[in-house]
């Protein structure tokens, strides 16, 4: 049941993610943030490869345990791609910092909804983007830790609380 619930949502998530990637790219290019093109190309290539891998899994019901392991790996890699945004892109400008924070929080929101069927897949999808993204926001600013990074720290516990509620509902 978990695999049956997760696979369609994750497939749609990879297709839908092209829109926020391009929107973030436009916002970052307009802020003249160095590294934007590198991140966009990396993120689109990663999404394409991961989407193909998920499609190749079929319905995943032949070996559901293996499918959950594969989905966890796919989601870790996808999450790393999102988390690299404030590391690859120069976020010294407040506009770029705001865009990076928006990307981290939006990613957590989408992951919380689409991965509610399995705790491992949720954590694989949420933790790398969060850890890399918040670290990037806190460390990239040469003037010391930036307030947006500290505010972003609140997003993971909130996301997890929402996940637990959705996960319990699905299990019931």
């Amino acid at each position: 049941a978990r695999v049956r619930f997760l696979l369609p949502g994750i497939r749609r998530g990879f297709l839908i993610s092209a829109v926020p990637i391009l929107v973030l790219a436009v916002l970052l290019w307009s802020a003249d943030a160095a590294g934007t093109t590198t991140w966009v190309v990396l993120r689109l290539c990663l999404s394409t490869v991961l989407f193909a891998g998920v499609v190749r899994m079929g319905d995943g019901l032949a070996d559901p345990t293996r499918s959950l392991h594969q989905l966890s790996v796919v989601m870790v890699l996808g999450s790393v791609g999102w988390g690299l945004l404030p590391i690859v892109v120069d976020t010294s400008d407040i506009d770029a910092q705001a865009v990076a924070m928006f990307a981290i929080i939006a990613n957590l929101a989408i992951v919380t909804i689409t991965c509610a069927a399995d705790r491992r897949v949720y954590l694989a999808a949420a933790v790398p983007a969060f850890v890399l993204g918040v670290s990037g926001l806190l460390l990239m600013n040469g003037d010391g830790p930036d307030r947006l990074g500290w505010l972003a720290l609140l997003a993971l516990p909130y996301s997890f609380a929402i996940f637990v509620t959705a996960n319990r509902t699905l299990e019931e």
Side-chain angles (χ1 to χ4, degrees), residues 54-148:
V54 172
V55 167
R56 200 166 154 254
M57 288 174 63
D59 64 7
L61 299 177
D63 188 355
T65 303
R66 183 170 183 246
S67 296
L68 287 174
H69 292 309
Q70 288 174 333
L71 286 175
S72 294
V73 171
V74 163
M75 296 311 287
V76 162
L77 294 173
S79 184
V80 166
W82 283 107
L84 287 175
L85 177 88
I87 294 171
V88 174
V89 177
D90 177 16
T91 57
S92 58
D93 178 27
I94 191 68
D95 291 339
Q97 290 172 5
V99 169
M101 184 171 168
F102 170 74
I104 294 164
I105 293 180
N107 180 64
L108 282 176
I110 292 167
V111 160
T112 301
I113 294 165
T114 59
C115 297
D118 187 78
R119 186 179 307 262
R120 274 176 309 175
V121 176
Y122 163 76
L123 290 172
V127 172
F130 181 78
V131 170
L132 288 171
V134 170
S135 299
L137 284 173
L138 290 173
L139 299 175
M140 286 289 283
N141 189 353
D143 301 332
D146 113 57
R147 285 174 256 151
L148 288 177

Side-chain angles (χ1 to χ4, degrees), residues 20-67:
I21 291 168
L22 295 175
V23 169
L24 290 170
V26 168
L27 291 172
L28 290 167
W29 279 321
S30 68
D32 291 326
T36 300
T37 302
T38 303
W39 180 78
V40 170
V41 169
L42 172 76
R43 186 63 221 157
L44 288 174
C45 290
L46 188 58
S47 287
T48 303
V49 169
L50 295 176
F51 175 74
V54 172
V55 167
R56 200 166 154 254
M57 288 174 63
D59 64 7
L61 299 177
D63 188 355
T65 303
R66 183 170 183 246
S67 296

